Amino acid sequence: MALYANLFTPITVGNMSVKNRIFMPPVSTHLADEEGRVTEALLAYYEERARGGVGLITVPSMLIEKLSRYGTYRNLCLYESWHVENLKKLTDRVHLHGAKICAQLLHPAMACPPAYNDGRQPVAASPVEGKSYPDIPRELTVAEIKDYVKKFGNAARLAKLAGFDAIELHCCHKHGLLGNFLSPLHNKRTDDYGGNVQGRLRFALEVVAEIRKQTGSDFPIIVRMSATDAQPGGQTIMEGMYIAHKFEEAGVSMIHLSNGSFDIPYLTTGPVGTPQGFNADLAAKIKSVLHIPLGLVGRINEAWVGEMLLGQNVCDAVYMGRALVCDPDFPTKAAEERECEIRPCIGCLRCLHAANNDLPFVCAMNPEAGHELELTGIRNAADGRRLLVMGGGPAGLTAAAYAAGKGYNVTLMERASHLGGQ
């Protein structure tokens, strides 16, 4: 732990004490059922990450109303009373292992396709299309905005009742409702909710105030925001600094910093070849105006990268998404200085491709990801049972090593005079 002292220093966010500074950002899995219920597969997936030693897990895209499905029918939901007991199964399971859990509250706005919403037109700040979501949205009325403020507050109240330790407001990447209002590229309103940065920020600040009203003054509110839109005419870094500062003034407990938008996906989810910690320069500027913790996301996929960012005071917590999909035991292995055993995320984006196309969740490097429940029997096979593996190519070698690690007495047979296939 001495090698990574910063990573494994506890941190306080609002009234929430987190055991270390490795946070898991919202990574969509679509493991809920079509009624928005927790499934055993979803419980197994998150329990595996909690067991692996992560400090905080953020559960993605929890919908605040029934008519806002997000690219699938399998979203978790926070708008009716029965969701509380449903989700308590998840929070209890994560808490068993000493991790904290956060509910990300989302209205997907432009990313709420008619195909998943009975043909309804998406809603947004203004009737402006996006490259990734070509359906022209309908502009919200002021009365509807006020109604959504209440819905966000109700969702936060239900999250607290369900045992979540914090909530996160999705205010980034332009496609969620709050982030859509923040962007000058999509908010063309001429009323109190548009125009300059104060007007574009009004909706989000009213939501924060309502959440405070419904959950109390000390319940942690995390805001996930973009430092910039990274596009001409979009939100600038100076506006990002102002927005973060205003969120702190409004009582937000922490900023979770991302950058860019759905129109530039390589900035929101860095592919292979992307520099590690590529949002660090932006984070330093945002952090300079804050007194609350700042969490940073963006290709932080090795322990030394997170340790350096924390040590240089670039941020106060590091969000590792795909790294924890790839190896849920990443924190434990880093704490025990077993870095050579950490399964590396290669940035292939197969997990993102699966989520965006409503396909079964998958990780190229970790075949267990999303399938933890199916493998329970294999995990419990440490009784010396014999297993024969035919073929010593990459698949056979992997199967043999995996089974041996789970307790099988393995015999590997290969016809050729060498292992490794072609």
Side-chain angles (χ1 to χ4, degrees), residues 124-126 140 145 174 176-184 186-187 189 193-194 199-201 203-204:
S126 303
L140 285 179
I145 292 171
K174 298 192 307 186
L177 196 57
L178 299 178
N180 183 264
F181 268 73
L182 284 174
S183 173
H186 288 267
N187 187 340
R189 303 176 71 96
Y193 292 92
R200 303 196 309 271
L201 183 56
F203 184 12

Side-chain angles (χ1 to χ4, degrees), residues 112-122 135:
C112 184
Y116 286 103
N117 291 279
D118 299 327
R120 294 178 183 86
Q121 185 180 13
D135 297 291

